[in-house]
Amino acid sequence: MVPRPLEAELILAWPPLRTEHQAMLQRIDHLGIAVHSLEDSIPYYEKALGLKCEHVEEVAAQQVRTAFFQVGETHLELLEPTSPESPVAKFLEKNPHGGVHHVAFATDDIEGQLAQAKNAGCQLLHEKPFAGAANKFVAFLHPKSTQGVLTEFCAPLEGRS
Ligand code: CMX
């Protein structure tokens, strides 16, 4: 069958062309999910979904307590605010039932990814990555500049100064 023009264009355009300067996203590292209380929320993930809470960690700089669950190659990160000033507390004010707070992409080049996003017109919430949960270097893009999704880039902290 001869492809219709649109299909032919899609075939020609796939995979997207990359230049050697483009940073590379590797996978969805985790989904951040805002909750009021880890203690109240963890049983749902363990009992209803059959997942296992791997670890609980406070990230003081972000004013959150986190709980991680592995799902295949990715994780769920529950986020409980530890202060009314926490970004997650503000999110819960607007979304009282909680819900998906951010999408975090693992990358092999976090600075390159930030530069690429900035060049594309995105607002960086952090010009420089910083130490986040689970031994990761992280940086965020403002959701108003990313089609409404708070976006995180992350890379292993290991080997960074
Ligand atoms: N997803 C989508 N939209 C969001 C959002 C989110 N998570 N959080 C806020 N917004 C929207 C608000 O609904 C609001 O929209 P309207 O203007 O239409 O009402 C707008 O963004 C508010 O933007 P703002 O006034 O600039 O900022 P806020 O004080 O509400 O803070 C944000 C929002 C994203 C800048 C802040 O949460 C932030 O800096 N986040 C990055 C750090 C973070 O989230 N840390 C917690 C997780 C840490 C971890 O994973 O360990």
Side-chain angles (χ1 to χ4, degrees):
M1 189 177 88
V2 179
R4 284 178 287 142
L6 180 60
E7 286 168 347
E9 281 165 26
L10 284 173
I11 290 164
L12 286 173
W14 193 262
L17 293 175
R18 303 185 69 84
T19 71
E20 56 186 79
H21 303 296
Q22 276 185 299
M24 178 84 83
L25 291 183
Q26 297 167 317
R27 62 177 189 285
I28 293 180
D29 185 83
H30 63 269
L31 295 178
I33 298 173
V35 300
H36 290 279
S37 153
L38 293 186
E39 278 62 36
D40 291 349
S41 302
I42 286 172
Y44 160 71
Y45 290 91
E46 292 197 321
K47 292 186 178 146
L49 300 189
L51 299 173
K52 187 171 179 332
C53 179
E54 288 180 335
H55 78 280
V56 171
E57 175 185 352
E58 179 160 352
V59 185
Q62 295 294 305
Q63 300 170 302
V64 291
R65 274 204 322 139
T66 64
F68 283 88
F69 301 83
Q70 186 162 5
V71 188
E73 283 202 342
T74 190
H75 286 81
L76 300 180
E77 177 192 33
L78 302 190
L79 297 155
E80 173 198 272
T82 55
S83 133
E85 300 310 312
S86 165
V88 175
K90 290 187 184 171
F91 180 87
L92 288 169
E93 274 171 29
K94 283 195 92 170
N95 304 275
H97 299 297
V100 176
H101 177 261
H102 66 264
V103 176
F105 295 101
T107 174
D108 61 351
D109 177 7
I110 196 164
E111 283 86 358
Q113 210 72 57
L114 288 171
Q116 182 173 287
K118 190 173 184 177
N119 284 340
C122 298
Q123 183 190 338
L124 309 190
L125 286 166
H126 311 99
E127 291 280 339
K128 290 193 171 171
F130 58 94
N135 287 322
K136 297 274 170 63
F137 230 43
V138 304
F140 289 81
L141 307 179
H142 199 293
K144 288 281 182 184
S145 67
T146 58
Q147 309 292 310
V149 178
L150 176 58
T151 299
E152 174 183 337
F153 297 130
C154 64
L157 199 51
E158 201 173 76
R160 307 272 311 223
S161 51

